[in-house]
Amino acid sequence: MEVESFENEEVAKLLNDWFVSIKVDREERPDVDKVYMTYVQALYGGGGWPLSVFLSPDLKPLMGGTYFPPDDKYGRPGFKTILWKVKEAWESKRDVLVQSGSFAIEQLSEALSTAARLDKLPDGVPQMALKLCAEQLADSYDSKYGGFGSAPKFPRPVEAQLMLYHSKKLEETGRSEGAKEDLSMVITTLECMARGGIHDHVGGGFHRYSVDECWHVPHFEKMLYDQGQLANVYLDVFSITKDVFYSTMARDILDYLRRDMIGPNGEIFSAEDADSAESEDVTRKKEGAFYVWTSHEVDHALGEHADLFKEHYYVKSSGNCDLSSMSDPHNEFKGKNVLIERNSISAMASKYGMPVQKYLEILGICLQKLFDIRSKRLRPHLDDKVIVSWNGLAISSFARASKILKGEPVGTTFYFPVTGTNSEEYREVAEKAASFIRKNLYNQQTCRLQHSFRNGPSKAPGFLDDYAFLISGLLDLYEVGGSVFWLAWAIELQRMQDELFLDKEGGGYFNTPGEDPSVLLRVKEDHDGAEPSGNSVSVINLVRLASLVSSTKSDNYRQNAERLLAVFEKRLKDTAMAVPLMCCAADMLAVPSHKQVVLVGCKPSVEFDSMLAAAHASYNPNRTVIHINPNDDEERAFWEETNENIALMAKNNFAADKVVALVCQNFTCSPVVDNPRSLESLLSK
């Protein structure tokens, strides 16, 4: 639409003569986008972007839709026709239009002000919702190419998170066959994505989605929220399988972010566009121009290794976007290749008569050469907005990687574009990003967040997702060995989230603070889509916080979580597949055996680090890691104020010459262990 209509002189004249045109960056103002997207979805049964909505001067919606072609075709009115019709209607029946817009907003406001029927979900609903969601996802699973649903295929990490969580639940209750099935769906999906063209083999990270069923030809945009969540899912599968394929993929994503998406002060940028110019003298940008290759370019770049590389990545002189009728329906990529791995590494190494290590080494050298050549191309536009919520997702994955990757075998070899950095450096990235937000997007007097930053903070306030996702990231940052300062900030942000967004009467969190009269709707969002919903993440945050603080505050957190879930009882019962993370969250709240791992000893030290790594070695979302050095005055004072039980536990079990761990459930604790292997063994029970 940008090219067809908004850059068209004739359309521009109509718009400028008759309308005040307002372009909204939906990432910067998700609250504004939500109002009018909800209106279009309610009116027409579907939505999407680009979103075109016509408003009265008092911002009530009059008419809207998604994509309009410039001229009438396919039985659909063109954008110019729409402009004429809206102008005519405004001049001839203005009162009716305004009335209908006001009525629509009133009706939506009423429908969206969902309140809890009960103070908590009825017994059995969390378990039923989890089971239902897993079954619905399994029914939609593509056994050939992985993924849930058909093309276009979006990586929706919450689906994988649910299947991993459900798999663990089945394993714990002795249903190992079902557990293996759930796990294998996630494994196949992650492998097919990693081998497909949706993965940027040359530079690392993942594109937005695949237009075909085989994860081959993507929409080439790269979004921060995908990278943070996918890195976490690959880390989870590594902690379950101990297969370095998954840890390497997590590194691949995080190394891409470190290299291309981090600003001078540690801030993490939002996105890279899909299109770019093919050369300096061409003004029109093309989708994927930066990422695709001709066979000749590969020959010229790689010399003696070109044939091996081309066979490995399915590179052909005619172009390779032919694996599906959906891959390239308009022949945009004729003669071009999107790298995809279609053969196993071991089979290819065997065919070329060399050890697997040597084969991987050659591929790494080839990818480095292509990377250097690609770096000289005109890059897609970098969206250097800093969005708090998306930074929260990335902070989480960088933090968790710092400890989970300690489980990689000593001497593991990495190949380009993976750098093989010391995993502790990832925690430093997380801390710098959190510090940037604290310094630039947080007011220490009011304790409020701003939503985004570009050449200074935006005017938009922090929204629910900003608070919830950042709290989640800060909890992860603390649990992997970060300062108690991050935990204290998370607790403070939760207090402010409750003050700004919590529906004290009806339960659950609204998406906006409700202080801006020009934003006509406050919504309680529950859909776990490409990003999880703020309400789903909030339940998990509240469960985690409840296991860290003293009983009165803990009870309050749990009650807010219970009431929140009760708001979405119908959704959990009827359409669980729309809320996978909320299904996990509901079960986490219902689990009586949330584990606390309490580490006590002097830090920093190698011993403390090893015990922390052991505490994070296995996959268990129902576990909180607490660490305390009783010799540190700040830590001791924090715990004496926040949870006396932990302060007392630390005092009673402290030994100057070693680090000890206790594994507790409801603070009934195991005997003390003082070595990583014993701790891992204890946690696996």
Side-chain angles (χ1 to χ4, degrees):
M1 264 192 100
E2 184 178 13
V3 173
E4 292 173 348
S5 292
F6 303 136
E7 292 178 3
N8 176 294
E9 294 288 340
E10 189 185 348
V11 173
K13 181 162 180 17
L14 298 179
L15 281 169
N16 293 333
D17 286 351
W18 300 338
F19 300 92
V20 177
S21 299
I22 303 169
K23 185 177 181 181
V24 178
D25 179 342
R26 70 183 178 94
E27 292 163 5
E28 198 168 314
R29 291 307 302 256
D31 55 336
V32 174
D33 175 70
K34 187 70 189 173
V35 172
Y36 300 109
M37 180 59 77
T38 304
Y39 165 78
V40 167
Q41 285 173 323
L43 211 60
Y44 304 106
W49 296 275
L51 176 67
S52 308
V53 188
F54 296 87
L55 313 180
S56 64
D58 64 350
L59 307 179
K60 302 289 194 305
L62 309 175
M63 179 266 170
T66 55
Y67 168 74
F68 296 107
D71 299 296
D72 301 357
K73 60 179 175 183
Y74 312 129
R76 297 183 64 189
F79 195 53
K80 284 179 270 191
T81 302
I82 295 286
L83 296 179
W84 275 103
K85 285 191 178 299
V86 172
K87 175 188 180 278
E88 282 175 13
W90 183 248
E91 288 174 347
S92 63
K93 44 184 178 183
R94 181 176 307 190
D95 292 347
V96 176
L97 274 182
V98 171
Q99 226 175 341
S100 70
S102 298
F103 180 71
I105 287 295
E106 282 167 24
Q107 292 292 298
L108 285 171
S109 187
E110 202 174 303
L112 293 167
S113 59
T114 326
R117 190 174 57 89
L118 304 165
D119 284 340
K120 58 188 290 191
L121 287 173
D123 289 348
V125 171
Q127 296 78 7
M128 184 196 73
L130 186 70
K131 181 172 179 283
L132 177 63
C133 189
E135 287 170 355
Q136 289 174 337
L137 285 172
D139 287 345
S140 72
Y141 175 67
D142 179 347
S143 57
K144 186 173 182 183
Y145 296 111
F148 301 93
S150 54
K153 278 188 173 169
F154 288 78
R156 188 180 167 214
V158 289
E159 294 170 334
Q161 283 176 280
L162 179 121
M163 295 307 270
L164 294 178
Y165 186 89
H166 189 246
S167 173
K168 182 163 177 62
K169 295 291 288 188
L170 292 177
E171 189 72 53
E172 286 171 350
T173 51
R175 290 171 285 177
S176 58
E177 279 310 306
K180 282 177 191 160
E181 283 173 27
D182 283 0
L183 178 59
S184 77
M185 289 183 217
V186 177
I187 282 174
T188 301
T189 299
L190 294 186
E191 280 188 10
C192 290
M193 284 173 57
R195 293 160 66 86
I198 192 171
H199 171 217
D200 179 3
H201 295 272
V202 173
F206 281 83
H207 299 295
R208 182 69 200 89
Y209 62 86
S210 165
V211 301
D212 52 45
E213 70 277 17
C214 42
W215 302 107
H216 182 203
V217 178
H219 171 48
F220 286 89
E221 191 176 22
K222 284 178 164 181
M223 307 301 298
L224 177 58
Y225 59 75
D226 283 326
Q227 316 307 327
Q229 292 179 90
L230 285 170
N232 263 333
V233 173
Y234 278 103
L235 287 168
D236 285 340
V237 174
F238 169 68
S239 66
I240 294 165
T241 64
K242 306 303 178 194
D243 183 339
V244 294
F245 172 82
Y246 302 101
S247 66
T248 301
M249 282 309 303
R251 286 176 174 273
D252 170 288
I253 296 166
L254 300 176
D255 289 349
Y256 153 65
L257 291 178
R258 284 182 81 191
R259 188 186 62 242
D260 289 343
M261 297 292 283
I262 294 186
N265 299 303
E267 68 274 34
I268 310 177
F269 300 137
S270 295
E272 289 191 287
D273 279 1
D275 48 6
S276 55
E278 292 186 291
S279 61
E280 294 278 4
D281 52 350
V282 177
T283 52
R284 178 68 70 217
K285 293 179 176 182
K286 287 187 77 173
E287 167 98 16
F290 184 71
Y291 299 100
V292 298
W293 302 89
T294 64
S295 178
H296 175 72
E297 285 172 328
V298 174
D299 287 335
H300 188 257
L302 303 183
E304 62 172 321
H305 297 314
D307 287 344
L308 177 152
F309 185 90
K310 289 200 297 186
E311 186 173 358
H312 185 87
Y313 285 106
Y314 188 57
V315 174
K316 306 192 298 183
S317 54
S318 59
N320 74 352
C321 300
D322 55 6
L323 293 177
S324 163
S325 59
M326 302 178 79
S327 296
D328 188 23
H330 306 298
N331 281 327
E332 292 174 73
F333 298 113
K334 190 175 181 182
K336 301 291 173 69
N337 293 272
V338 178
L339 302 185
I340 180 171
E341 297 178 275
R342 300 187 68 211
N343 300 300
S344 80
I345 300 278
S346 55
M348 289 294 291
S350 175
K351 179 176 177 178
Y352 280 87
M354 61 180 75
V356 167
Q357 295 293 99
K358 178 67 178 169
Y359 184 80
L360 288 170
E361 201 177 299
I362 290 170
L363 286 182
I365 291 165
C366 292
L367 290 168
Q368 172 86 67
K369 285 180 179 176
L370 293 185
F371 177 86
D372 293 341
I373 291 167
R374 196 175 84 172
S375 298
K376 296 183 178 73
R377 293 177 177 177
L378 294 170
R379 287 192 75 92
H381 170 72
L382 171 69
D383 184 346
D384 57 0
K385 270 197 314 296
V386 181
I387 295 175
V388 171
S389 55
W390 299 0
N391 270 251
L393 294 170
I395 287 167
S396 170
S397 56
F398 275 110
R400 294 180 72 238
S402 70
K403 283 297 170 284
I404 292 172
L405 295 177
K406 300 271 188 195
E408 291 171 326
V410 177
T412 301
T413 309
F414 301 101
Y415 305 95
F416 192 85
V418 175
T419 61
T421 187
N422 179 335
S423 65
E424 278 303 316
E425 289 182 27
Y426 292 134
R427 193 178 100 193
E428 291 169 22
V429 175
E431 287 179 335
K432 282 181 181 172
S435 296
F436 178 89
I437 292 168
R438 174 94 184 180
K439 183 180 176 187
N440 295 281
L441 287 163
Y442 177 70
N443 183 319
Q444 297 196 33
Q445 275 69 50
T446 63
C447 303
R448 289 186 174 205
L449 291 167
Q450 295 298 112
H451 172 61
S452 64
F453 181 99
R454 187 173 187 276
N455 302 324
S458 69
K459 291 188 176 72
F463 303 114
L464 173 62
D465 289 3
D466 296 311
Y467 285 82
F469 296 8
L470 180 57
I471 290 166
S472 178
L474 293 173
L475 291 175
D476 285 327
L477 189 46
Y478 166 72
E479 285 198 37
V480 299
S483 164
V484 77
F485 170 82
W486 302 120
L487 176 54
W489 190 25
I491 291 169
E492 177 53 44
L493 286 171
Q494 186 62 55
R495 182 191 69 77
M496 184 49 63
Q497 179 184 314
D498 292 349
E499 188 178 308
L500 293 173
F501 304 98
L502 184 65
D503 180 351
K504 313 258 186 323
E505 301 299 314
Y509 293 102
F510 291 108
N511 63 332
T512 67
E515 295 166 339
D516 183 347
S518 71
V519 180
L520 306 181
L521 289 177
R522 288 183 92 193
V523 178
K524 292 179 191 174
E525 184 67 71
D526 62 354
H527 179 65
D528 296 316
E531 300 169 61
S533 80
N535 273 300
S536 298
V537 174
S538 292
V539 175
I540 297 171
N541 291 344
L542 291 167
V543 170
R544 295 173 74 181
L545 286 165
S547 70
L548 289 160
V549 299
S550 59
S551 55
T552 311
K553 208 167 185 181
S554 177
D555 291 345
N556 180 250
Y557 285 146
R558 292 185 67 85
Q559 283 160 12
N560 283 346
E562 283 169 348
R563 198 91 197 284
L564 185 164
L565 289 167
V567 171
F568 302 110
E569 178 186 347
K570 184 169 170 40
R571 186 78 139 152
L572 287 161
K573 284 177 174 175
D574 297 349
T575 48
M577 193 171 160
V579 290
L581 194 66
M582 191 172 283
C583 292
C584 296
D587 189 81
M588 285 180 196
L589 186 60
V591 165
S593 56
H594 193 93
K595 285 182 180 175
Q596 291 105 350
V597 183
V598 183
L599 302 179
V600 183
C602 293
K603 55 179 176 171
S605 69
V606 174
E607 293 76 20
F608 209 100
D609 207 44
S610 298
M611 290 292 270
L612 264 174
H616 289 278
S618 58
Y619 169 77
N620 188 354
N622 288 308
R623 171 193 62 212
T624 300
V625 178
I626 299 161
H627 49 88
I628 178 167
N629 175 7
N631 283 348
D632 183 311
D633 293 342
E634 184 191 354
E635 281 195 25
R636 192 173 64 250
F638 172 84
W639 286 111
E640 282 169 356
E641 186 183 337
T642 307
N643 192 329
E644 285 179 342
N645 287 339
I646 292 174
L648 193 62
M649 205 183 295
K651 183 182 173 187
N652 292 343
N653 291 284
F654 178 66
D657 58 340
K658 60 184 176 182
V659 179
V660 300
L662 302 95
V663 177
C664 312
Q665 287 175 307
N666 300 321
F667 290 98
T668 303
C669 300
S670 67
V672 166
V673 293
D674 60 7
N675 68 79
R677 188 162 290 180
S678 301
L679 177 55
E680 282 191 44
S681 170
L682 196 55
L683 286 170
S684 68
K685 288 177 183 169

